Amino acid sequence: MKSAKEYISEHKDRFLNELVELLKIPSISADSKYKDEVIKTSEVIKKSLEKAGCDHVEICETPGYPIVYGEKIIDKNLPTVLVYGHYDVQPPDPINLWDSPPFEPVIKKTELHPEGAIFARGSCDDKGQMYMHVKAMEFMTATNQLPCNVKFMIEGEEEVGSVNLAWYVERNQEKLANDVILISDTGMIANNIPSITTGLRGLSYVEVEVTGPNRDLHSGLYGGAVANPINVLAKMIASLHDENNHITVKGFYDKVEELTKAEREKMGEAPFNLEKYKKALDIDAVYGEKGYTTNERNSIRPTLDVNGIWGGYIGEGAKTVIASQAFAKISMRLVPHQDWKEITQLFKTHFESLAPAGVTVKVTPHHGGQGYVTPIDNIAYKAAEKAYESTFGKTPIPQRSGGSIPIVSLFEKELKSKTILMGFGLDSDAIHSPNEHFGVWNYLKGIETIPQFFHHFTQMSK
Amino acid sequence: MKSAKEYISEHKDRFLNELVELLKIPSISADSKYKDEVIKTSEVIKKSLEKAGCDHVEICETPGYPIVYGEKIIDKNLPTVLVYGHYDVQPPDPINLWDSPPFEPVIKKTELHPEGAIFARGSCDDKGQMYMHVKAMEFMTATNQLPCNVKFMIEGEEEVGSVNLAWYVERNQEKLANDVILISDTGMIANNIPSITTGLRGLSYVEVEVTGPNRDLHSGLYGGAVANPINVLAKMIASLHDENNHITVKGFYDKVEELTKAEREKMGEAPFNLEKYKKALDIDAVYGEKGYTTNERNSIRPTLDVNGIWGGYIGEGAKTVIASQAFAKISMRLVPHQDWKEITQLFKTHFESLAPAGVTVKVTPHHGGQGYVTPIDNIAYKAAEKAYESTFGKTPIPQRSGGSIPIVSLFEKELKSKTILMGFGLDSDAIHSPNEHFGVWNYLKGIETIPQFFHHFTQMSK
């Protein structure tokens, strides 16, 4: 019987070309200008699932962008794997920092990707990793090696908070019933050090607005006499961290999961080279919460970062103006047990309390999600371990990620099933950044490894 | 012999129409997109000076935008008045806050301007006030009432620091020789409370840049582990003022002119209504340096304001990114004896010293100018006083302005003559803001008052 390895080498060029075509569509969910492109992408996904052998493929309307659903039920007595992914992408800004246009994919060799990497927005997050599952499905159906039932649920709003996916899942629990959820939207430590993400951070994303005078003012006539919304916003943001880089929002740490010394020591064993890390980012020093290592700061500790700020005159040249308003987008990464809605409220209360007389402050919650931890002692995790062992020849390392996939904790709540995060990207793939890319080797390795998970999960479920 | 009042009432409509046409040209010196419009404006000014009766009108090339020069020398033994103004305007941003397009002038009545005001960018600053002098010149030549020699020097780079005017003045001292310089680019307290500006603040304008990682990063994977340039910039800006709103830049106050108790008391006599001031700006409280009144904060005290800030994702929706860079435009208003070049250097040294490990900081000086104080005991000031008395029926109040006309102190240095600032605008005219306007009454009153200054200055110079 044909192996995935053989099938992939026969169809490699087509697998790459299909992904390249998918990457050409700018499915930016955050920007309504791209509405038609996002819709168009959902239709392309629908066709690809049909080609891969799914039945009942449909585009499910939601109050927002549609969800593409497809399934293959071969025997009600066999386990069911629900594959989740998303077809929307982050905005490409700042566009001028891209070496090639974000929606004109090119394959180039890099130091970490000697076999080439596909450069395009969404190549890794998540079109490339989502499409590995479509191609793995094609292999299993084309060679009669699908060992269990499969359901696909591919959404178009992950980058803007999956609000309508939540809406959809709550209304389709029976249809989505499954034994395990499989997602590839994370990374691994290195191509020779496979890892499985066992923890994700939660997220609270807000937009803040500081309003001073009712119009922009001449900084000469009013400078020094009225509160300047930009200076005030800067002061307020600065006060959100203390001298040890602890977050000052009242109650922020109350429910934070504190890892044991043993757990932190185990984490510390994961290979990490601080000098290489700094060199890769061209920084002379790392920065962060006192008392924690870099790997702890970006995984087991909550954070608060300004993702965008604007106000006043930002054009060419000079304008001596005091702006009427200043704005910032602020996000907080949360750890297990921190409730994102509660944290959002704590932030709102705290931030508004910082407003000095002379300005008004508005905090608008944007979106968020809970953190998540996967147990590593269940069948699904063990099956994933075996899958990596068979294709990488190594046991994967369980790893906490700093990223967030808000939907994962919702799946557990609504669908009562665990999620396995089999990510094949690398931190250096620059997701959410200019020149995002995904290794060709990683793409094909994912397609090869996924069927192994289906096989072992089915076996171990007997 | 015909009075200015009669002449103005005969030609009122034409005077307004000519200004409206001038205001239609977007002569934005800060934005190179408008280069042709700025040049075109200089040609319109040239024609208007010729029509007004000037001789030897010429467009003088400079390394930047041209200077329009014209003169009328009637008798070498009579005094010479040099009129300065500028034909460039501020950028109109934020455009969406304008009730009518900034370059499509409309005349509307307002509470403070019952006879109507011209709404357009530059209507008050400075096309409208500069054009008063052109029309006053027309009256004096048309009716043979020009009592002395006149020179006009109208530039196109005042809003970007007058760098090339300085270049021009240094090279044309003989040509520009004069007994007094007359400028209308300031305001007065109210239409029934004429005032003459006797002091101006200096200016230092810089742009700052904070650079962290070499690319935008995913805030989940790197959040909390690397210095976020926006958070760092906010902290640095916040630290520029202490809890009393004193500026913390080392050495900043060393040369600040401290007024005597008597001088401050005299200032305090100028009519000012704090409640009206707050109401006009829709603010619940004023804000500023401890120990000083609002009128002192915006005139005799130096200030530091952020005029613009930007970094990260500022588009629609959300992007969970840590920006590689953050930027701000910062200006400092300076008082007499503070040297703008020295302050700029002090700021640069101080600000760069604030950079934490993990980021690099760059400060780029933009432009600046010295502060200025006019003595109120000389002939020129007395002549201006009489001019207002004859047209307003009131003695004008000497007033310090918070604004800056960097060129004034250069005139004194290079041309060895004093400047009289006869401004006819109101603080509420929203210069540098959306909906800038200039009262029709103020425009015509200026045209009526200026010839009186020429008359009295000539008389008193005998």
Side-chain angles (χ1 to χ4, degrees), chain B residues 42-178:
Chain B
S42 68
E43 287 149 5
V44 172
I45 298 300
K46 177 174 185 287
K47 287 193 190 63
S48 70
L49 286 176
E50 286 164 343
K51 279 211 207 107
C54 285
D55 304 324
H56 314 302
V57 184
E58 55 180 333
I59 288 184
C60 311
E61 294 308 327
T62 75
Y65 286 122
I67 287 157
V68 187
Y69 177 85
E71 63 178 35
K72 184 90 183 170
I73 306 300
I74 58 173
D75 180 346
K76 291 217 164 342
N77 302 317
L78 287 169
T80 300
V81 177
L82 174 65
V83 174
Y84 162 86
H86 64 93
Y87 62 83
D88 62 322
V89 301
Q90 280 274 318
D93 321 55
I95 215 102
N96 59 311
L97 296 185
W98 285 76
D99 297 331
S100 57
F103 298 105
E104 296 173 24
V106 290
I107 296 181
K108 285 184 295 187
K109 288 183 166 55
T110 74
E111 193 187 338
L112 291 174
H113 297 296
E115 297 178 35
I118 308 170
F119 284 76
R121 168 60 82 228
S123 56
C124 180
D125 177 15
D126 179 49
K127 283 174 173 171
Q129 295 214 75
M130 173 269 291
Y131 208 67
M132 295 184 307
H133 291 270
V134 180
K135 294 297 98 180
M137 178 69 176
E138 174 192 316
F139 158 72
M140 292 188 284
T141 53
T143 61
N144 298 310
Q145 294 181 58
L146 180 64
C148 62
N149 306 312
V150 192
K151 295 174 178 177
F152 278 86
M153 173 170 64
I154 313 300
E155 73 153 317
E157 295 184 322
E158 197 273 342
E159 301 295 2
V160 291
S162 301
V163 178
N164 295 301
L165 181 67
W167 175 91
Y168 177 80
V169 169
E170 285 157 12
R171 286 162 180 71
N172 294 277
Q173 289 167 332
E174 202 166 316
K175 176 180 190 170
L176 300 172
N178 64 79

Side-chain angles (χ1 to χ4, degrees), chain B residues 109 177 207 246 263 324 329:
Chain B
K109 288 183 166 55
E207 194 158 312
H246 290 300
E263 287 173 300
S324 170
K329 293 175 193 272

Side-chain angles (χ1 to χ4, degrees), chain A residues 193-327:
Chain A
I193 308 169
S195 58
I196 297 175
T197 300
T198 55
L200 290 166
R201 288 197 285 192
L203 178 74
S204 168
Y205 199 110
V206 301
E207 194 158 311
V208 302
E209 176 186 307
V210 176
T211 305
N214 54 6
R215 63 177 197 273
D216 286 7
L217 301 174
H218 184 298
S219 70
L221 303 183
Y222 292 90
V226 300
N228 177 326
I230 300 176
N231 289 75
V232 169
L233 177 59
K235 243 191 170 61
M236 293 170 76
I237 289 170
S239 78
L240 295 174
H241 290 89
D242 68 14
E243 65 284 5
N244 295 322
N245 279 308
H246 291 300
I247 293 155
T248 57
V249 175
K250 288 179 197 57
F252 187 82
Y253 291 100
D254 291 356
K255 297 182 178 173
V256 165
E257 170 200 54
E258 290 289 348
L259 272 68
T260 64
K261 193 159 172 305
E263 286 173 302
R264 290 177 63 181
E265 278 166 5
K266 182 108 187 63
M267 272 191 70
E269 289 165 14
F272 176 74
N273 182 317
L274 186 60
E275 287 317 307
K276 276 191 183 157
Y277 183 88
K278 290 190 292 185
K279 192 162 176 300
L281 301 174
D282 289 337
I283 53 177
D284 60 359
V286 291
Y287 185 94
E289 187 180 8
K290 195 174 176 188
Y292 295 89
T293 67
T294 293
N295 273 344
E296 290 171 336
R297 288 167 174 170
N298 63 26
S299 63
I300 61 168
R301 297 299 295 171
T303 65
L304 184 154
D305 276 295
V306 180
N307 301 115
I309 190 167
W310 68 103
Y313 183 66
I314 62 180
E316 186 189 344
K319 189 167 189 292
T320 50
V321 69
I322 291 177
S324 170
Q325 293 190 296
F327 307 83

Side-chain angles (χ1 to χ4, degrees), chain A residues 316, chain B residues 26 28-38 65 93:
Chain A
E316 186 189 344
Chain B
I28 305 164
S29 51
D31 188 340
S32 49
K33 276 203 309 293
Y34 295 88
K35 190 169 190 296
D36 297 349
E37 309 286 355
V38 180
Y65 286 122
D93 321 55

Side-chain angles (χ1 to χ4, degrees), chain A residues 375-388:
Chain A
I376 64 175
D377 53 7
N378 65 3
I379 289 174
Y381 185 84
K382 298 286 178 205
E385 239 176 13
K386 285 186 184 295
Y388 281 91

